Each structure stands twice: as C-alpha cells, then as structure tokens.
Amino acid sequence: MSPEELEIQSEPLNPDAEEISLETPTDDLHRVVPAIEFREVELFFDDRIILDKISFTVRRGETKVVLGGSGGGKSTIIKLILGLLKPDSGQIFIDGEDITEFDEIDLMRIRRKIGMVFQEGALFDSLSVYENVAYRLHEEGVPEEEVEHEVKRMLRFVNLEDAIDKMPVELSGGMRRRVGIARALIGNPSIILFDEPTAGLDPPTARTICELAIKLRDLEDASSIFVTHEMNNLEYLSSEYAVIDEHGDVQFEQEGEKLCLINTEVLMLRNGEIIFSGKEDELKCAPDPYIMKFIRGK
Amino acid sequence: MNLLKKFILELQEISFLVWRALIGLRKKPRYLPEIIRQMDLIGVGSLAIIILTGFFTGGVLILQTYPTLAYYGGQSEAGRAVATSLIRELGPVLTALMVAGRVGSAISAELGSMVVSQQIDAMRALGTSPTRKLVTPRIIALITMLPLLTVAADVFGIIGGGIVAKQIFGLDNSLYLTSVRNGVTIQDLIGGVIKPIFFALIIGVIACHKGLKTEGGTVGVGKSTTSAVVLASIYVIIADFFVSKLLTVIFGTSTL
Ligand SMILES: Nc1ncnc2c1ncn2[C@@H]1O[C@H](COP(=O)(O)OP(=O)(O)O)[C@@H](O)[C@H]1O
Ligand SMILES: [Mg+2]
C-alpha cells in the first residue's frame, strides 16, 4: 500500500476516502460485489464433515454475526477466508476474486485486505506491543516514522496508548485482545474477521470490544465477520450504531429513533450446517428448538 | 502399511519444508537479524556444554585406551588415538546429540507453542511466510554453528586428553601433541566438518517440522518436543554411518 493511500484512509471520517481508494471504476459496481462469498463450501477433516455445503455472502459494509456452539465450524470458516485452509469442494470469493485455487503468493495479496482478530489475541510473545501492532508494516518495509504514526493512531483507536512499550505477558486478557485488534487494523484492511473476541472477558471489557466492532462498521465502512457465542454481543451489534457528535466524539445510539440497522445480519451454525440466516429479530422468533435453547440458554 | 504410508507422507512434508526453506533464502526479505540472533542463541549459547562434553570425552578416551596402548608398548601413540576418534566420530556425533537435545528441543517447543497459541496463523494472516521467517534462519544458523561447535569439541577434547595423559599417566605433553599432529590427516579434518553440516540439517529440519506440526494444545507441545529430540538423535546416528561410508568412498579408506 502506498503512503498516499495510507494517508487518505487514515482520515476515518472523510466520506470520500472510500471512493478514492476504490479499485473498481464505479462506486455502484464496487458495492454490488460482495466482500466475502461462500458457494457450496465443503470441508472434511479425515472423514468427518466439518462444513457441509455452506453458502453465504457478506456485503460491503456489512457485519455478519456468526453464532453457534463450540465445534460448529466457526473458526474453520474464518481460516478458509484467510486461505489458511483449503475447502474440499466449493468456492470462496473475496472482493469478487475466486481464492479457492490461489497459491501462497496470491493469498498474501488477498490477506493484505483482511484484518484478523484471533480468539486469544495470538500476539507474538517475543515482540513488544509496538512491534506487534507494527508487524505488518515492518514486513512491508514501510519507513519507521510512518510506522510509528500509524501504530500510535491504531493504539489510540483501541484506547491503549499507554501500553505501547509493554510486552504481551504484561497485559490483561482484554488488553491483549485490543492489541490484537490494533494489529489487525493496521494497513486499513477492508475486511475484518473477529474470532470470539470477547470470550473469557468481563462484561464491560467485552462491551468495549463490541463498540470497536460497531465503530469499524459505522465509521470506517468495514465488512466484517464477528464470531461469538455470547448473546449480548449480538444484542449490541444489532441494536446500536456509532455516530460522531458535534464535538467529534464517538457516541453510541440505540436503533429505532432515527435509524434502523440494515447492515448487521446473523448466521447460525450447527455441526457444519447453517441453520439460520437473517436479521436478529427474526432469530428471536425462529421456531427451531436448538436456536431457542441457544438464545435463552435452556 | 498404514505406518509406511504415514512415514512416506511425513518424508514428503519434510522435503517440502526443506525446499521452501531453501527458496526462502533466495527471496527477500531475508531476515538477517533473525539469522544472527539464532546464531548467537545456538552457537554461543551451546558453547559451554560443548566444551565440557569435548573435554571430558577426550579425558575418558585417554583413561580407557592408555593402559591398552601401554600394554602393547604404544603409549606414545595415545594422542593419535584420541585425536582421530574425536575428529572422525565422537566430536561430530556428540556435539550433534548435545545440540539436538538443547537446541532441537528449544526450536520445536518454541514453534509448537506458537502453533497452539495461533501465532503461526497470525503470522500467515499478516502476510509472512513462517517458513521463511522462522525455519530458514534457524536452519542457516545451525548449519553454520554446528561445524564450529564441533571444532570446539575436538580441540577441547584433545586438550582434555592431554591433561589426563599428563596428570594420570605422566605422558609428556610434547610427545602427546606430536602424535596428535601425526595422526590427523587432512581428510579427517574435512570429514569432521562435513558431517556436522548434514547433522545440522537433520536437527533443524526435524525440529522445525515437528514444532510446526504440533497439535492438541500444550500437551501436544511436549509430545512434539520429545519426538523432535528422539528422532533427530536417531537420525544423526544413522546418518553418521552413511556419511562416514560416503567419506571413505570419496577419500579412500584411511588407515589408523
Ligand atoms: N486441525 C484439525 N484437525 C481435525 N479436526 C479439526 C481441526 N480443526 C478443527 N477440527 C474440528 O472441526 C470442527 C470445527 O472446529 P472449529 O471451526 O474450530 O469450531 P468452532 O470455532 O465453531 O468452535 C470441530 O469439531 C473440530 O474438532
Ligand atoms: Mg473457534
């Protein structure tokens, strides 16, 4: 990514930013092509079926909340998007490109567009917070002053400017997760994948993580997949939106008064099959006993 | 049958790993600082135990062979006996075994815990090839450091032998050194440095492969570490036979 591009994208509130960094000629066409698309994706481990002909799309600017118990195949879907695993059949499209047959070199180009937040943060133990967040830029050989500027901007975004010189072992679980988010966001990826980013965190910290995801969706126009098995995460993501008030501060408003959220959908997985796909309120009315049990916990 | 299939599959994976590690050398970025850091960790870090190993091995060689040599009236050849067996066999093999234990286990455990904590996935997701960033520097560092460590073991083994010969058997130092000098051929020296290059490749590849293949959480890290050390040690000993044979074919049979 060129320095100019970084500069332009680093103005989160500039509505023109998206347009300037477009790769396709017209904005309309660009938005029609889904950010992520799965077509009949099938995956086996040994002889066990892990994903059974999964199809779904994530539109640009949309957040797809993926629900499901453990072992349902949620992390597997995320690994497939990154090309860390290959499907046994079916196709996966990222920004309209079929990545199914891509080799590591082409995948590296795709991965540059994707930010990944891992379950436990997956920070590099041997690197400081600064080096962790800077990792991608260092690998790309970006000049150090620019790296520093970006790292500080990202750490400000996740509210962790003080931790810049710490090592990962010195951080709490929530801080690790936030450093993981900062690391994923550097280089301004257009697609962000969250794998259970709130698992094992206390409710207020989990809430901050959800707020970050909402901010990315509403203020940065990112497409994302948010894997979780906690219902209140879904509640936040599908009922609140982020706006900038007159002082330039971010505010979270409830759905209903001014706006109805159309850019958040739910996907529910069970044993490698999609058992629900739609809006959150539809999920609450779904007759499936597994879904009811999942929502109410009994 | 199943076992054979597994073995062949594993061999194939290892060959791929070696291939990609070699390709990693050709392309940029080359991660030079990482190579130097690994050289320091592997080479300088192992020096103390290698010197101790060499020293006492040389000592015990004299301790065991001197009486026999003396029985046949050949005590003046004690230096030659120690030097040839050290430089040809014991130096390379013992050094490789010590390094397999110390460095092989560390590499496998480090990579293994990176796998289970998803750091390897994170690395790939962030656009870096773990082979190029982690495997290549470690193998390069091993290939350069193991021959040097072997030379250190040889030298301190000969010194250890000399000290034992003097202190316990009263053998004159200059006599000992002359016999060392007469005994060692240039072929021995070359062979003694070629062997560790093979051993380094074996240790590095097996440790990295086992580490990167770790499955099943922290228990898995323990398992892959153990099997890395065991396999690397066994393969070093097996390879020693074949490399020795190869060297005698190339240099012709050397006489003691
Ligand atoms: N490397 C692997 N080898 C074999 N089975 C695996 C592997 N990774 C995941 N699985 C299996 O795939 C299924 C889905 O796993 P995963 O996608 O991690 O589930 P989730 O993230 O929804 O908890 C699980 O049943 C798991 O046991
Ligand atoms: Mg998971």
Side-chain angles (χ1 to χ4, degrees), chain A residues 75-114:
Chain A
S75 301
T76 307
I77 287 185
I78 291 210
K79 285 187 186 154
L80 284 167
I81 296 171
L82 285 165
L84 301 177
L85 287 175
K86 291 273 179 207
D88 289 307
S89 73
Q91 289 164 297
I92 298 163
F93 294 84
I94 305 291
D95 282 341
E97 275 187 282
D98 185 352
I99 65 156
T100 325
E101 300 294 326
F102 273 14
D103 59 14
E104 279 294 305
I105 296 164
D106 286 324
L107 283 171
M108 289 297 172
R109 181 169 57 77
I110 296 294
R111 287 172 189 154
R112 211 161 287 158
K113 301 196 238 188
I114 305 177

Side-chain angles (χ1 to χ4, degrees), chain B:
Chain B
M1 187 57 218
N2 223 340
L3 218 65
L4 187 71
K5 199 170 129 195
K6 237 169 118 180
F7 178 74
I8 291 176
L9 271 179
E10 192 147 8
L11 211 62
Q12 184 191 0
E13 277 174 20
I14 290 180
S15 320
F16 275 136
L17 187 69
V18 175
W19 175 242
R20 275 179 293 147
L22 287 178
I23 287 193
L25 255 191
R26 211 163 45 81
K27 284 197 228 144
K28 281 187 171 178
R30 286 207 189 79
Y31 302 111
L32 206 62
E34 176 69 9
I35 296 181
I36 292 170
R37 208 176 65 89
Q38 289 299 327
M39 282 178 164
D40 182 43
L41 276 175
I42 294 170
V44 182
S46 308
L47 195 59
I49 57 162
I50 293 303
I51 286 176
L52 274 178
T53 309
F55 188 87
F56 283 98
T57 306
V60 82
L61 275 176
I62 283 289
L63 203 62
Q64 300 287 18
T65 51
Y66 192 90
T68 318
L69 286 170
Y71 180 79
Y72 292 107
Q75 55 268 64
S76 62
E77 292 303 328
R80 173 199 285 260
V82 173
T84 47
S85 42
L86 265 177
I87 291 172
R88 285 184 196 163
E89 285 303 327
L90 291 174
V93 172
L94 287 179
T95 308
L97 292 181
M98 295 306 285
V99 169
R102 185 183 173 273
V103 178
S105 61
I107 290 177
S108 163
E110 186 184 1
L111 298 192
S113 36
M114 288 183 81
V115 169
V116 297
S117 61
Q118 291 196 297
Q119 290 178 54
I120 299 286
D121 282 344
M123 203 170 256
R124 290 173 70 196
L126 288 164
T128 320
S129 147
T131 324
R132 211 181 300 160
K133 171 113 181 169
L134 301 172
V135 177
T136 307
R138 282 167 175 74
I139 291 181
I140 299 293
L142 269 168
I143 287 180
T144 44
M145 294 327 280
L146 197 59
L148 294 178
L149 287 171
T150 304
V151 170
D154 293 345
V155 168
F156 279 87
I158 290 167
I159 293 175
I163 291 175
V164 170
K166 171 96 175 124
Q167 297 303 320
I168 296 182
F169 302 111
L171 185 73
D172 187 48
N173 272 342
S174 62
L175 206 63
Y176 175 82
L177 276 181
T178 317
S179 128
V180 166
R181 224 174 285 139
N182 291 339
V184 178
T185 63
I186 189 80
Q187 282 95 326
D188 288 337
L189 292 178
I190 295 173
V193 179
I194 287 178
K195 275 186 181 181
I197 295 177
F198 281 93
F199 298 163
L201 196 64
I202 289 172
I203 297 169
V205 169
I206 289 180
C208 290
H209 171 74
K210 286 288 166 195
L212 289 176
K213 289 287 285 176
T214 300
E215 269 174 9
T218 24
V219 184
V221 177
K223 274 191 197 151
S224 56
T225 307
T226 310
S227 65
V229 175
V230 171
L231 282 182
S233 307
I234 290 174
Y235 286 141
V236 160
I237 288 168
I238 295 175
D240 180 53
F241 175 81
F242 289 102
V243 178
S244 298
K245 181 74 193 131
L246 188 75
L247 288 173
T248 55
V249 170
I250 294 170
F251 293 140
T253 326
S254 41
T255 47
L256 197 83

Side-chain angles (χ1 to χ4, degrees), chain A residues 116-232:
Chain A
M116 166 79 203
V117 181
F118 285 88
Q119 206 158 332
E120 303 284 338
L123 302 182
F124 303 122
D125 293 329
S126 55
L127 304 180
S128 70
V129 167
Y130 176 88
E131 290 165 316
N132 262 285
V133 178
Y135 188 84
R136 180 172 245 159
L137 300 182
H138 278 160
E139 290 292 296
E140 287 171 9
V142 175
E144 195 59 39
E145 12 187 313
E146 211 170 298
V147 172
E148 197 175 329
H149 176 258
E150 278 296 292
V151 169
K152 287 196 171 141
R153 185 172 76 84
M154 252 32 273
L155 285 175
R156 213 174 309 129
F157 183 77
V158 298
N159 233 324
L160 267 182
E161 288 150 293
D162 303 336
I164 192 160
D165 290 322
K166 292 217 165 93
M167 293 304 281
V169 283
E170 302 172 65
L171 305 178
S172 69
M175 286 160 94
R176 293 175 68 95
R177 236 58 79 81
R178 279 185 285 159
V179 174
I181 293 178
R183 183 179 68 180
L185 295 182
I186 207 132
N188 298 292
S190 57
I191 297 171
I192 298 150
L193 310 172
F194 296 92
D195 192 359
E196 306 201 20
T198 60
L201 296 183
D202 55 274
T205 315
R207 160 86 201 177
T208 24
I209 304 276
C210 291
E211 284 178 357
L212 288 174
I214 296 174
K215 264 162 58 175
L216 287 166
R217 178 192 67 198
D218 299 340
L219 307 178
E220 313 267 343
D221 197 28
S223 319
S224 57
I225 287 189
F226 194 101
V227 171
T228 182
H229 53 232
E230 284 164 48
M231 290 310 290
N232 63 0

